[in-house]
Structure formats: C-alpha cells, structure tokens
Amino acid sequence: ASRTGTATAQGAELVLKGVTKPFELSHEIRIGVDAKGGTVTSSASGSGATLQVTGSDEVVVYVTLGTSYQLKPNVFLQNNDANKLAGYPVPTERIQADLASAIAKGFTALLERHVADYSPIFERAVINLGGKAESYPLYLTNQLLRESNKTSEQTRFLEELYFQYGRYLLIASSRKGTLPANLQGTWNMTRSAPWTGGYWANINIQMNYWPAFSTNIEETFEPYWKFF
C-alpha cells in the first residue's frame, strides 16, 4: 500500500497519523470538536476511531496538521527514496499547540485574523463587469452556477466572483515561508490527487501564478522562485 495510517480518539479530539511511500513521508492531523449543547463521544477500534456529536445546536471543527517534509538540499540529493526524510520527525508538539491555540481563540477570532491577514493584499485590485447578484448567499456556488445564465448581469457577476476567487486562492496558498502552490494549491479533496498534486512546470504551476503580477499580488510569487 502507498499509505498506511491509524486513527485514535479521546474526548473531543481525533488524531490521524500515517506514512506515505516511497519517501516515507510522515503526517499527523489533529481534529478538535467544539460543540455547543449536546454531547461528544469518542470510540476506537483497531486502527480506526470516530467522534460522534449528538444533540448539539452548533459544532465548530478545528483542524491542524503537519508533515515530516523539509525543503533542504540533502532531501533532493539523497538518492535512496526511503532515506530522504530520515531524521525529520512530524512536529507533534507544534500541531498539538496549534490546535489548542485555535480552540482557545475560537471561530470568530480566527476568522477576523484571517480577514485582517489577506484583505490588504486582496483589496489591491477590483473588477467591475456590470455584474449583479441575486439575494441568495454567495457560498451557494452551485446555485450561482445554475442561475448564472438567466441574465447577462448574473453571468458577469459570476465572472467577477471567479476572478477574485482565483486571487484569493493564490494569496491563501502561496505566501512567504511556504512552499509554492502546487496543482491543487492547498486544497486537494481526493485520496489520490490528480497528477499527484505535483509541480508540473510545463504549464500547471505557471497557471497558478498568472494573477501574481497582473493583479498586483506579486509577493505570492516569492515561494515559486525560491523553490526553483
């Protein structure tokens, strides 16, 4: 198997640990549940575990994670795949601290911090194609797509939204001190990412960075050129 892993649960926390071959890349994911009202119960059996929320009015799920990956010359120069990350453990203590800190801050404070972080960069470019939105919430993207062909104003609104959404994704996935955005950015929803979620320098990674200079978010390009 290319991946092996285990899950454990205690209280309102779920811990997923695993290793991915051929580079023996270790990862750890910690999930904390903050439920208002109701109960949270955990159970474990073998290599699997679950958290169950019952009768709650509101649930906030916090996720922190880390891997053993290191962007260092010896990782690239080591010919034996299994030894590339030898001596580099998963940063468990940092992952635990991040989860505890996130839960202590709470959803509202984390959202405010995120908005304060990306907004000064994001707001450097605006676009107006004459679009007009209906009254339903913008997070209902599937409804936006269904309704977009009813009027030209709705179609143009969706194009405006898509333009800014692409800029937001690049801002959120390529910042100083991080790896550059790969084929899926930081949002891969599948167990086996299409094209391995890699850096395909024949076009895919360049496509991620098309907005960097043309829409005034040039600092997102730094991880790209530092990586190469």
Side-chain angles (χ1 to χ4, degrees), residues 136 143-156 158:
Y136 46 76
Q143 188 171 346
L144 267 174
L145 291 169
R146 285 198 303 269
E147 302 287 331
S148 66
N149 292 322
K150 284 191 173 182
T151 67
S152 59
E153 289 84 1
Q154 285 175 280
T155 300
R156 290 196 293 271
L158 190 62

Side-chain angles (χ1 to χ4, degrees), residues 93-108:
E93 291 183 0
R94 178 186 62 78
I95 299 166
Q96 289 176 316
D98 285 349
L99 181 61
S101 175
I103 294 174
K105 286 182 173 66
F107 174 81
T108 300

